[in-house]
Amino acid sequence: MNDFLPVNIEDCKKRGWDEVDFVYVTGDSYVDHPSFGAAIITRVLEAKGFKVAILSQPNWKNTKDFTRYGKPRLGFLVTSGNIDSMVAHYTAAKKLRHDDAYTAGGVAGKRPDRAVIVYSNIIRKLYPDSPIIIGGLEASLRRFAHYDYWDDDIRPSILIDSKADILIYGMGENQIIQIAERLDSGEDITSLRDIKGICYAVDVRETPYDGVEVPSLENCMNSKKEYAKSVRIEQDEQDHIRGRVVRQKHGKIMIVQNVPMPPLETEELDWVYSLPYMRTYHPMYEKLGGVPGIKEVEFSITHNRGCFGACNFCAIQFHQGRYITSRSKESIVEEARKLTASKDFKGYIHDIGGPTANFRKPSCEFQLEHGLCKGKKCLAPKPCPNLISNHEEYLDILRTVRELPRVKKVFIRSGIRYDYLLQDKDDTFFKELVENHVSGQLKVAPEHCSASVLDKMGKPHIEAYIEFSKRYFRYTNEVNKEQYLVPYLMSSHPGSTLDDAIELACFLNKNHIRPEQVQDFYPTPGTISTCMFYTELDPYTMESVFVAKTPHDKALQRALLQYYNPKNHKLCEEALRKAHRYDLIGNGKNCLIKGSVSQNRNSSNSNRNNSKSNNRNSYGRGKKYKKR
């Protein structure tokens, strides 16, 4: 039956169901599109013959919604939705958001804070003996004791607070298939603890002896150094080839993470993306204006998973992993044909991408047998000598799709790694990217210009961005187009001092970049950068890291990145005086703000040299940069 899955008991009756096998509880509005984890997991279960009903954004203030389908035959599946519920609710400044892209009508507040915990506890009270399996981003990134930005404290594994039986971490298709089939065969939920890619909790007396044990919850709460050690081990074991079982004691309970589930192979990915998704939100949301989150992905295609870029502030390496797997060309082209058949298709495929659009293969041959290198990055601070950069296969896919009937343009919007692109000795893809696949502006993520900050981010140094931008504009001019680069920038990342923020401001000033949006560092669960934010230690070196933690210190750094905005003048002046950078106040061409520098000006400071960024060579014509 090619239709939405049941969202109420009437839908179940229409299908002739007396009961359901699983109730899938989600904090998002129901969208049946393969960019939404809920759609993939439920369609996978349906394809394996299981009866799945959707319980979308249930009212957690009473129990009525949770009894809608009665007790499912096999269990409840619980997720907060596509993103962490706390991130969905709060900005980096811990202020309530006014909208929610994953809720019909964009309305905020339709899910509780810490949705997985709230939903699971209600279910446990109603159905004490029903299996509860939690998954999705919120559960996956909180599987161990973790720093919680909103509590400003260490919280236990979400398994403890949710009282769930099993936690699926990472991409969960094969885990959920095995769980469903073994429950269906009559096995008890407690017998499924051998499945890869899951976590479970046991009495410490039942602790398995294999693997590695990280510092306990209690030690992490009492010692930031112990917490940093824990995070490093957890990160290092997220490799499906060399990863080990990881254990963490919580009082008398042991949290056990089994070895990672191997990522889906090409044939498996092709199957997952061939399932009969409706590719839109449920029609019950039409009167509310639909679900905003579908707009960015409705006519987009995911061609890969994983990211060996592994930026320290990004959760992908801890969730999807660094190993790249990709769909076949045939599968991608077939999905593109389906998009062109849609009545709403206007000729534009918005993206053929993924976590990083231009990754199609693992970064080197070594990892095929040994896994990705522990404690090292493929691209930062410099590309590994073993890196293989080749865009031939990706380019072939783009060429084929853009020649399909009704296709006017194929864009790449999910972002490319320009440092990886620069390693390809053949610039054919680079030139065709500029000529055919940029929708007026290309978004890239240098994030900063300070080498010390970029090292803490796990990003390449700014010289790679400078080289990329020069070639980008050269190729743009060759095809006689006016296109822009939109650089993503981040303020207040761990390691960024006030001097570093000033260096970035000078860099922007010299190169005529005026970002309209700047992302404050957001300490979300499960990242190396969040560990640095909390501990003020680099977990890989145990060296001290400067962290701007107070709202005012963050505001000073953020203001500097938008120094040209009159609203930021006061903060910028305070920051520059605090750093004794009087040379940047005045009317000179290198000055960031106008004003008098006589007050408290020290003669030695007046002769101070400009920052390193003021002495950098320009990396392209300033007029070519999008003033956003």
Side-chain angles (χ1 to χ4, degrees):
M1 180 183 293
N2 188 12
D3 198 356
F4 288 93
L5 296 177
V7 296
N8 51 48
I9 196 65
E10 288 75 21
D11 288 348
C12 294
K13 291 179 180 178
K14 289 177 183 178
R15 291 183 173 226
W17 296 357
D18 294 325
E19 65 177 350
V20 299
D21 296 325
F22 291 101
V23 174
Y24 190 95
V25 186
T26 174
D28 289 344
S29 291
Y30 176 32
V31 180
D32 189 32
H33 188 283
S35 291
F36 290 70
I40 288 180
I41 295 299
T42 54
R43 286 297 183 185
V44 163
L45 285 170
E46 179 192 47
K48 292 296 180 178
F50 295 98
K51 301 173 183 177
V52 186
I54 304 294
L55 181 56
S56 174
Q57 297 187 325
N59 182 356
W60 70 94
K61 297 175 183 178
N62 59 58
T63 61
K64 182 179 178 181
D65 284 347
F66 292 88
T67 60
R68 181 179 302 172
Y69 304 102
K71 180 183 176 182
R73 186 172 69 91
L74 298 178
F76 286 89
L77 309 176
V78 181
T79 177
S80 69
N82 260 20
I83 61 175
D84 189 282
S85 59
M86 301 301 285
V87 176
H89 284 171
Y90 302 97
T91 69
K94 299 184 181 179
K95 295 181 179 179
L96 273 172
R97 298 187 190 276
H98 300 297
D99 50 28
D100 185 340
Y102 295 104
T103 295
V107 178
K110 290 295 183 178
R111 79 190 89 207
D113 287 356
R114 312 190 192 284
V116 170
I117 294 172
V118 173
Y119 294 157
S120 296
N121 275 276
I122 293 173
I123 294 166
R124 181 60 73 211
K125 289 179 180 179
L126 289 170
Y127 306 102
D129 59 343
S130 182
I132 300 175
I133 298 99
I134 59 176
L137 201 66
E138 180 166 307
S140 182
L141 299 182
R142 296 173 178 268
R143 56 191 183 264
F144 294 107
H146 56 280
Y147 172 70
D148 184 272
Y149 176 58
W150 304 273
D151 280 356
D152 191 25
D153 204 355
I154 300 294
R155 289 183 66 95
S157 165
I158 197 170
L159 264 172
I160 301 292
D161 286 338
S162 68
K163 302 180 177 64
D165 296 288
I166 285 178
L167 182 156
I168 294 176
Y169 71 91
M171 310 304 282
E173 293 94 343
N174 281 338
Q175 293 97 308
I176 198 61
I177 290 171
Q178 291 185 33
I179 290 170
E181 290 179 345
R182 290 174 63 174
L183 288 174
D184 189 44
S185 70
E187 287 191 54
D188 188 83
I189 189 71
T190 59
S191 71
L192 309 186
R193 293 169 179 167
D194 58 330
I195 296 174
K196 294 180 178 179
I198 70 164
C199 299
Y200 60 91
V202 293
D203 187 285
V204 291
R205 293 170 292 185
E206 301 176 46
T207 301
Y209 291 105
D210 56 335
V212 59
E213 187 165 336
V214 300
S216 67
L217 166 66
E218 292 75 17
N219 284 354
C220 288
M221 294 177 72
N222 293 327
S223 168
K224 291 184 176 181
K225 190 171 184 179
E226 288 291 284
Y227 179 67
K229 289 179 182 178
S230 175
V231 167
R232 175 174 179 168
I233 296 171
E234 293 158 15
Q235 294 281 340
D236 284 346
E237 299 303 328
Q238 301 308 308
D239 186 278
H240 72 283
I241 294 176
R242 57 167 177 74
R244 297 173 290 176
V245 170
V246 181
R247 309 183 303 272
Q248 185 176 54
K249 189 178 178 183
H250 285 53
K252 296 181 180 181
I253 299 295
M254 186 68 76
I255 299 297
V256 182
Q257 174 190 277
N258 286 350
V259 298
M261 177 68 75
L264 299 187
E265 297 180 356
T266 296
E267 295 77 12
E268 294 173 307
L269 279 172
D270 287 353
W271 173 72
V272 166
Y273 285 91
S274 71
L275 298 176
Y277 305 99
M278 299 302 290
R279 302 193 68 87
T280 187
Y281 51 80
H282 194 280
M284 64 182 172
Y285 303 127
E286 197 66 53
K287 61 184 179 182
L288 301 174
V291 180
I294 191 66
K295 295 300 181 184
E296 286 294 314
V297 298
E298 185 175 9
F299 295 107
S300 296
I301 299 171
T302 300
H303 79 92
N304 65 5
R305 283 186 181 178
C307 182
F308 56 75
C311 300
N312 286 341
F313 52 80
C314 179
I316 290 174
Q317 62 179 314
F318 198 52
H319 183 62
Q320 285 195 20
R322 295 191 290 159
Y323 191 87
I324 304 298
T325 56
S326 54
R327 296 167 61 188
S328 68
K329 174 184 176 181
E330 294 74 20
S331 171
I332 297 164
V333 173
E334 178 59 28
E335 183 172 352
R337 289 195 178 100
K338 290 179 181 178
L339 294 183
T340 64
S342 168
K343 61 181 178 60
D344 297 321
F345 184 68
K346 306 298 183 184
Y348 301 98
I349 293 179
H350 297 153
D351 193 21
I352 298 181
T356 295
N358 56 326
F359 290 171
R360 280 287 295 174
K361 301 287 186 181
S363 54
C364 71
E365 294 181 354
F366 175 86
Q367 67 191 264
L368 302 179
E369 181 178 352
H370 302 284
L372 283 105
C373 296
K374 184 185 292 187
K376 296 181 180 179
K377 297 185 183 295
C378 301
L379 288 165
K382 293 182 179 180
C384 174
N386 296 323
L387 181 73
I388 300 173
S389 179
N390 187 302
H391 292 79
E392 291 179 2
E393 188 175 293
Y394 186 41
L395 180 58
D396 178 54
I397 292 168
L398 293 171
R399 285 172 172 172
T400 300
V401 173
R402 72 188 190 221
E403 292 301 320
L404 291 176
R406 296 194 69 200
V407 174
K408 298 176 183 177
K409 276 281 187 179
V410 178
F411 298 122
I412 300 174
R413 290 185 177 175
S414 56
I416 63 167
R417 281 296 294 241
Y418 56 81
D419 46 344
Y420 177 74
L421 176 58
L422 292 174
Q423 298 305 303
D424 193 341
K425 296 179 180 179
D426 183 351
D427 63 357
T428 304
F429 170 75
F430 199 163
K431 290 184 175 181
E432 291 199 27
L433 166 73
V434 169
E435 184 173 6
N436 298 298
H437 302 291
V438 177
S439 58
Q441 57 188 33
L442 182 65
K443 297 176 181 178
V444 288
E447 303 293 359
H448 216 283
C449 72
S450 166
S452 61
V453 178
L454 290 167
D455 286 343
K456 295 306 179 192
M457 291 179 167
K459 297 283 290 185
H461 290 183
I462 196 63
E463 287 76 16
Y465 178 68
I466 293 170
E467 174 60 26
F468 170 78
S469 61
K470 287 179 179 177
R471 289 175 61 181
Y472 176 83
F473 289 122
R474 182 165 77 244
Y475 295 152
T476 295
N477 290 333
E478 287 176 1
V479 295
N480 198 29
K481 286 190 172 184
E482 184 172 350
Q483 296 179 151
Y484 305 99
L485 281 178
V486 177
Y488 285 145
L489 302 168
M490 185 182 296
S491 64
S492 305
H493 185 276
S496 178
T497 64
L498 195 56
D499 286 338
D500 291 316
I502 292 170
E503 180 181 351
L504 180 54
C506 291
F507 180 81
L508 299 176
N509 182 34
K510 184 175 181 64
N511 292 283
H512 313 290
I513 304 173
R514 293 193 169 189
E516 291 181 3
Q517 294 180 345
V518 175
Q519 175 63 55
D520 280 345
F521 170 67
Y522 201 158
T524 55
T527 73
I528 296 169
S529 297
T530 295
C531 174
M532 285 191 276
F533 175 86
Y534 170 63
T535 64
E536 300 179 44
L537 296 169
D538 184 329
Y540 282 86
T541 66
M542 288 300 170
E543 296 175 350
S544 296
V545 177
F546 173 82
V547 179
K549 286 192 173 182
T550 70
H552 188 67
D553 285 345
K554 291 180 182 180
L556 292 178
Q557 292 205 25
R558 182 184 178 91
L560 283 164
L561 272 58
Q562 296 175 311
Y563 63 89
Y564 52 85
N565 189 331
K567 294 181 180 179
N568 292 331
H569 186 280
K570 186 176 180 180
L571 286 171
C572 287
E573 182 174 2
E574 179 186 344
L576 295 173
R577 291 188 182 279
K578 186 175 182 179
H580 305 295
R581 292 305 305 271
Y582 304 108
D583 56 303
L584 299 176
I585 304 173
N587 297 314
K589 68 174 184 177
N590 291 328
C591 291
L592 296 179
I593 61 172
K594 295 181 179 180
S596 170
V597 297
S598 58
Q599 182 182 3
N600 296 327
R601 181 172 180 172
N602 186 297
S603 60
S604 63
N605 288 323
S606 67
N607 295 322
R608 181 172 176 172
N609 290 331
N610 288 346
S611 67
K612 290 183 290 183
S613 60
N614 269 338
N615 293 324
R616 294 187 189 277
N617 292 327
S618 177
Y619 58 90
R621 300 180 195 173
K623 67 180 181 180
K624 288 292 184 182
Y625 285 87
K626 180 76 171 177
K627 295 183 179 180
R628 65 188 186 97

